[in-house]
Amino acid sequence: MKKLRFIEEKIFRIIMPLATSLILLSLVLIIYTIVTKGMASLSWSMITETPKGGFYMGKEGGVLNAIIGSILLACGAVLIAVIISIPIVLYMNVYQRGNTKMMNLVRLCFDVLWGIPSIVYGAFGFTIMLYFGMKTSLLAGIITVSLFILPVIIRTMDEVFKTVPKELLDASYSLGATKFETAFKVVIRYGFSGLMTAILIAFGRGIGDAASVLFTAGYSDSIPTSLNEPVATLPLAIFFQLGTPIPEVKGRAYASALILTIFIMVISIISRYITKRFNRYK
Amino acid sequence: MSDNNFKTHISVQNLNVHYGKNHILKNINIDIPDKKLTAIIGPSGCGKTTLLKSFNRLLDTSQSPMVTGKVVVNGENIFDPKVEITHLRKKMGLLSQRPYPLPMSIYDNVAYGPKIHGLRGKKNIDEIVEHYLRKASLWEEVKDRLHTPAVRLSIGQQQRLCMARGLAVEPDIILGDEPTSALDPHSTQSIEAMFNSLKENYTIIVVTHILRQARRIADYIMFMYMGELIEHGPAEQILDDPKEKMTKEYIQGIIS
Ligand SMILES: Nc1ncnc2c1ncn2[C@@H]1O[C@H](COP(=O)(O)OP(=O)(O)O)[C@@H](O)[C@H]1O
Ligand SMILES: [Mg+2]
């Protein structure tokens, strides 16, 4: 019996670093691939110019349209999703705080929504667009992506807001505060790091997704001037460029991937920083 | 204090609380004296917290408590649907077993209550904050770091901050649920001293399971056991000459 436990411990001690290094290795390999294949094509014009004539044949121009498009789309979608999710999460954790059974059912629903592949959101968005007679546009893309990141934001925030102690709510109530005041002045502050983390995770998911924008945001070689115009995105830029046989264009696909990856890395680093900084009131 | 001719502040009449099938408070009747410190003593699980929480209507709604009977404060039954709950709670400060500072600065913790009740103007708020931090004998320790997070204070300082925060909304009644149980002896002493000076102007109700503490601070004592109010009376009488056998056994440490 004692021996078995000893072996257990030993095996686990081998598995742990093994698994960790495997993950680290694949991360390094991914970065290595996009850097070596994309670095050559990563020029100044790549990030400051929109595609010029013959871009898809390997001629001059860049993916500024997709960079700007992705940022507009992700920011718009996050903004809408946050505006919708804050009342939901506060309702779940302040107003319905005691109603654990019902809230766990609601949580399950959001988890299911979280798990639905983004292509399904894309198809759903497309159906809605057809119904309203909308064309592929920035607005349609924003709405679809916001639907797709909504469960992510809600559940990420919820996990933090759930940890607000009952006694803290009571402390606020006992000073004569209403639930509304308690929610917006105490709970939001307590869970501010959660809110920030949720926003950044959702931003990362929104900016990196291709399937949800394929039919809804469309693609365009220019930077949109209104919400009704189609818009390019980095993931689709990668997708289209990788599909050509021309080596220069393929190289640019990797360069675009590199840009997107740097974006997401910066966001993760900022989110770590913010989470640390705003935890100080807890 | 051996006479019973006190003014009543809170009158509890046939109060019953059920959580589901469990009968937690069993027909409680008592008049709680005005501007005195009443200690609620009794073994753990006997319903002290539940009684305290029914006074400011903070019973755990998730367990759908059923409450019958009356608690009359200033001539008004607090369970009357017409009673405005925020107003009721504003009139009763609460100190919990462990301090729960709001997730904001020391200053904002004290300013929170007055602000939600409409106080405006930096100068007014500054004054209020200083006044109540002094009253809770915390001012000297924190005056140079008012805008730092309240959670950085020691537990004892946090509890005094909670006291300042509660006093700042100008309650008539202070409720304390074993407010010193998490504190070091020094902080305990300072909270007790605060109670002793505050009881000239406030009606104070403190749950404690430390008999020596009850002896130090209480004017009036109620002894509860298994959801029932067994005996109540002036502190000396309950502690030195209890009428009920159960009270006697509790005080002698036979039951706990
Ligand atoms: N939220 C609740 N739901 C169900 N039962 C509760 C709840 N709170 C307290 N009780 C029960 O009520 C009884 C009295 O609890 P409490 O008032 O906390 O006692 P005390 O403060 O004297 O230790 C205990 O038996 C406890 O299990
Ligand atoms: Mg208790």
Side-chain angles (χ1 to χ4, degrees), chain A residues 195-205 267 270-272 274:
Chain A
L195 173 60
M196 279 299 155
T197 315
I199 287 176
L200 293 160
I201 290 178
F203 190 88
R205 299 226 353 170
I267 290 167
I270 296 176
S271 82
R272 290 225 136 204
I274 291 183

Side-chain angles (χ1 to χ4, degrees), chain B:
Chain B
M1 229 172 301
S2 46
D3 65 327
N4 265 352
N5 304 325
F6 52 76
K7 228 180 103 201
T8 301
H9 194 157
I10 302 176
S11 175
V12 184
Q13 300 164 12
N14 304 317
L15 179 67
N16 283 279
V17 174
H18 296 255
Y19 273 128
K21 288 196 193 85
N22 300 331
H23 198 172
I24 308 293
L25 290 184
K26 299 170 186 161
N27 213 35
I28 308 287
N29 282 285
I30 184 179
D31 285 343
I32 295 178
D34 186 42
K35 307 252 181 327
K36 292 209 189 314
L37 193 150
T38 300
I40 307 177
I41 61 172
S44 126
C46 70
K48 306 182 293 295
T49 300
T50 307
L51 181 63
L52 212 59
K53 283 191 169 174
S54 43
F55 291 162
N56 65 354
R57 291 184 47 190
L58 271 178
L59 290 176
D60 184 359
T61 46
S62 66
Q63 305 296 318
S64 46
M66 197 186 73
V67 182
T68 60
K70 286 182 180 178
V71 173
V72 179
V73 182
N74 301 329
E76 200 176 29
N77 178 17
I78 64 162
F79 298 120
D80 189 321
K82 278 189 300 243
V83 167
E84 207 174 314
I85 196 155
T86 53
H87 186 72
L88 169 77
R89 287 181 182 153
K90 179 178 177 292
K91 288 285 154 204
M92 300 193 193
L94 176 70
L95 276 188
S96 48
Q97 228 158 336
R98 259 171 20 84
Y100 282 90
L102 302 170
M104 40 188 94
S105 68
I106 296 170
Y107 181 97
D108 287 337
N109 260 274
V110 185
Y112 178 82
K115 272 190 190 162
I116 59 178
H117 296 294
L119 185 72
R120 292 289 174 271
K122 185 173 180 323
K123 201 169 150 274
N124 294 335
I125 298 172
D126 283 351
E127 266 171 27
I128 292 275
V129 169
E130 176 170 351
H131 178 77
Y132 287 104
L133 282 175
R134 280 190 192 284
K135 216 164 174 172
S137 42
L138 190 59
W139 175 254
E140 290 303 324
E141 290 160 64
V142 300
K143 65 180 176 197
D144 299 322
R145 47 171 170 151
L146 289 174
H147 296 283
T148 60
V151 284
R152 295 217 194 121
L153 297 172
S154 74
I155 297 287
Q157 289 172 324
Q158 286 183 15
Q159 191 66 300
R160 278 178 281 152
L161 179 66
C162 291
M163 183 68 129
R165 171 180 84 184
L167 293 176
V169 295
E170 298 174 344
D172 308 325
I173 298 168
I174 297 170
L175 308 173
D177 190 0
E178 306 189 26
T180 61
S181 63
L183 307 189
D184 58 278
H186 175 73
S187 305
T188 300
Q189 205 177 21
S190 96
I191 295 271
E192 285 181 8
M194 221 179 295
F195 282 143
N196 274 326
S197 69
L198 288 171
K199 66 190 181 193
E200 289 186 11
N201 301 310
Y202 299 87
T203 298
I204 306 177
I205 305 170
V206 177
V207 170
T208 178
H209 63 239
I210 310 164
L211 283 173
R212 270 169 298 141
Q213 182 171 57
R215 196 179 283 281
R216 285 193 296 268
I217 61 176
D219 304 311
Y220 203 79
I221 290 181
M222 43 197 288
F223 169 65
M224 292 179 64
Y225 192 76
M226 307 263 286
E228 282 178 73
L229 177 58
I230 305 293
E231 188 174 357
H232 59 92
E236 294 93 68
Q237 184 245 302
I238 297 291
L239 292 171
D240 300 332
D241 182 26
K243 300 271 180 294
E244 301 290 328
K245 183 166 161 283
M246 214 120 56
T247 319
K248 207 168 284 174
E249 288 180 352
Y250 181 74
I251 297 212
Q252 289 169 354
I254 297 170
I255 52 175
S256 66

Side-chain angles (χ1 to χ4, degrees), chain A residues 33-43 251-256 258:
Chain A
T33 311
I34 54 175
V35 168
T36 49
K37 295 200 172 181
M39 211 53 192
S41 308
L42 190 63
S43 60
R252 283 190 195 146
Y254 286 105
S256 309
L258 191 56

Side-chain angles (χ1 to χ4, degrees), chain A residues 63-196:
Chain A
V63 290
L64 183 66
N65 58 329
I67 296 176
I68 302 279
S70 274
I71 293 176
L72 286 177
L73 206 117
C75 287
V78 165
L79 186 71
I80 293 181
V82 166
I83 291 173
I84 297 175
S85 59
I86 285 182
I88 294 177
V89 175
L90 289 177
Y91 183 72
M92 287 168 69
N93 290 292
V94 180
Y95 286 77
Q96 293 294 327
R97 164 101 188 185
N99 198 352
T100 325
K101 264 194 203 142
M102 184 66 195
M103 284 311 108
N104 283 341
L105 189 66
V106 170
R107 288 190 175 107
L108 180 69
C109 292
F110 285 124
D111 287 344
V112 170
L113 285 175
W114 185 328
I116 291 176
S118 59
I119 186 79
V120 178
Y121 281 92
F124 177 69
F126 187 61
T127 317
I128 303 275
M129 280 161 60
L130 284 183
Y131 183 81
F132 285 105
M134 271 169 94
K135 293 212 193 70
T136 54
S137 61
L138 177 56
L139 182 65
I142 286 179
I143 292 174
T144 309
V145 173
S146 72
L147 285 177
F148 148 67
I149 61 178
L150 197 61
V152 179
I153 294 204
I154 291 177
R155 287 293 283 123
T156 311
M157 261 163 76
D158 178 47
E159 284 300 314
V160 177
F161 284 27
K162 245 180 12 186
T163 65
V164 176
K166 168 88 169 61
E167 291 84 352
L168 185 64
L169 299 181
D170 282 353
S172 173
Y173 297 148
S174 74
L175 295 167
T178 59
K179 286 192 169 172
F180 185 82
E181 287 157 342
T182 305
F184 280 89
K185 295 188 171 146
V186 176
V187 177
I188 291 243
R189 262 184 143 120
Y190 187 91
F192 195 77
S193 63
L195 173 60
M196 279 299 155

